[in-house]
Amino acid sequence: MHAQDDARPVVQPLVIPIFIPHMGCPHQCIFCNQRAITGKSAQTPSLDQIHQEVNRFLKFGKERPSTTQISFFGGSFLGLEKETIRSLLETAMHFVRAKDVDSIRFSTRPDTVSQESLSLLDGFPVSTVELGVQSMNDHVLDAAGRGHRASDTLVAAGLLKNRGYELGLQMMVGLPEDDEDGAMETARRIAGLEPDFVRIYPTLVLEGSQLAGRYRDGRFHPMALAACVTLVKRLFLYFNTHHIPVVRMGLQASDGLTRAGGFIAGPHHPAFGHLVHGEIVLDAISSALDRMEKRPDPLTISVHPSMVSRVQGLNKKNICRLKKTFDLKNIVLHQDERLAKNHLVVAGAHITLP
Ligand code: SF4
């Protein structure tokens, strides 16, 4: 998805991802397959490997955006050994000193953030920290085996904001013991922390995770894709009204959890964000048509060229749904470059998308 289209304009940096498997993580989150992944082969990348990876990205990032960041992700950065943290930061700092990279970002567990752990970052150009919040309900956190409380997130977010870091919060939907109301409550509490951006991930069943066993013996039922898309849409719209950008919905193949394969079940789709935006557009057009006393057929929808695929929906699902629901024979999409990307004209009625 494009964050520029979201609530608050965010210039997306070029992010150079460095995967840090959380070796020796003492926790056992039920959705995590890092134990299976990290068993023997994966190690914290060597400094040489990081150099190679960053240089590879810099070579291919021809048109550099305004900001370039090295991102340590996949584990809990501040949960690593102090020496490892320092040496990873030193390595990244080399590229900042050379002016190839602007800053460093990482993701970490809320309970790894303290005055002491943050003091390790002093003097390093870290700009952004993301917290794996997952839920703001202690019962759900317990059921997920997270090993931290919602209060840890409150404390961590406060410390990070006080020190002036850009703050990202990640939440999950579809965890055991959670439901739609629970997800909305988590979103409300996350919004109250005033993050600079959020990410929303569905709970997937991955090989090697505890959820895999529960799924196989029928004790865990992942969300269906359609229900998950609709729930994430509600969350997106909620954050949107609070002017909090949602920079990611759904996992990408390159994300740590899907690394090494092993996807078994759950609401995974490579274009998850596109599905959510498609549903938002479908809702907007449907309410415009609902309000019309007489609907023209063929129906003309004018749209900026870059938004055509969102209006059509995946496999033109939106067009089929509109035809069926409103008994239309033909829908004509008219591309108009003069329209703003979040603006549609449906049979003369102007709609601004969230
Ligand atoms: S999700 Fe992170 S904290 Fe949880 S078990 Fe996996 S590596 Fe550890």
Side-chain angles (χ1 to χ4, degrees), residues 20-291:
I20 306 289
H22 195 174
M23 300 298 290
C25 171
H27 302 283
Q28 286 202 344
C29 306
I30 54 168
F31 51 82
C32 178
N33 65 348
Q34 291 233 8
R35 267 161 209 276
I37 293 174
T38 55
K40 290 192 183 102
S41 55
Q43 289 179 344
T44 301
S46 71
L47 305 187
D48 269 357
Q49 284 170 325
I50 295 176
H51 271 270
Q52 279 171 22
E53 188 65 2
V54 176
N55 283 325
R56 193 174 68 83
F57 261 81
L58 290 173
K59 211 183 290 171
F60 288 108
K62 285 184 190 127
E63 280 183 34
R64 296 266 303 279
S66 55
T67 307
T68 304
Q69 294 182 313
I70 290 178
S71 168
F72 295 111
F73 80 105
S76 187
F77 191 77
L78 292 178
L80 297 168
E81 295 289 327
K82 282 183 188 170
E83 290 65 36
T84 310
I85 294 173
R86 282 203 195 96
S87 107
L88 290 170
L89 291 173
E90 282 288 353
T91 308
M93 180 116 149
H94 161 86
F95 292 95
V96 178
R97 284 205 194 98
K99 298 199 187 317
D100 285 327
V101 165
D102 298 288
S103 59
I104 302 166
R105 63 192 292 156
F106 62 78
S107 54
T108 199
R109 287 171 56 94
D111 56 356
T112 61
V113 177
S114 64
Q115 295 284 18
E116 193 197 343
S117 65
L118 290 179
S119 68
L120 291 171
L121 310 179
D122 289 345
F124 291 104
V126 173
S127 63
T128 309
V129 179
E130 293 194 37
L131 297 177
V133 174
Q134 319 318 4
S135 171
M136 288 301 282
N137 179 316
D138 284 340
H139 180 60
V140 173
L141 290 172
D142 283 346
R146 284 292 288 171
H148 68 80
R149 322 298 288 171
S151 56
D152 292 314
T153 297
L154 294 180
V155 171
L159 287 172
L160 291 165
K161 281 189 88 81
N162 277 343
R163 282 180 165 243
Y165 291 110
E166 185 183 40
L167 175 67
L169 299 179
Q170 306 169 355
M171 69 173 284
M172 292 178 71
V173 295
L175 285 168
E177 305 293 325
D178 203 6
D179 57 17
E180 292 209 10
D181 289 346
M184 292 308 298
E185 181 57 23
T186 286
R188 273 187 278 280
R189 297 192 62 190
I190 280 180
L193 298 174
E194 300 181 351
D196 296 287
F197 62 90
V198 299
R199 297 178 196 266
I200 308 172
Y201 293 125
T203 301
L204 305 179
V205 182
L206 302 176
E207 195 63 81
S209 67
Q210 287 185 38
L211 270 190
R214 296 192 197 189
Y215 170 71
R216 289 192 172 111
D217 63 22
R219 285 181 297 140
F220 176 70
H221 305 283
M223 288 188 86
L225 179 63
C228 192
V229 167
T230 300
L231 173 57
V232 174
K233 175 188 73 178
R234 281 185 69 196
L235 295 165
F236 173 88
L237 292 172
Y238 178 79
F239 286 122
N240 189 271
T241 57
H242 288 77
H243 310 290
I244 298 169
V246 180
V247 300
R248 170 79 62 78
M249 296 179 280
L251 282 157
Q252 284 186 339
S254 58
D255 279 313
L257 285 177
T258 54
R259 195 168 274 241
F263 169 71
I264 297 176
H268 179 53
H269 192 287
F272 193 96
H274 184 68
L275 296 181
V276 174
H277 282 293
E279 202 167 298
I280 289 170
V281 173
L282 177 65
D283 290 351
I285 298 174
S286 299
S287 6
L289 292 176
D290 271 335
R291 288 193 296 269

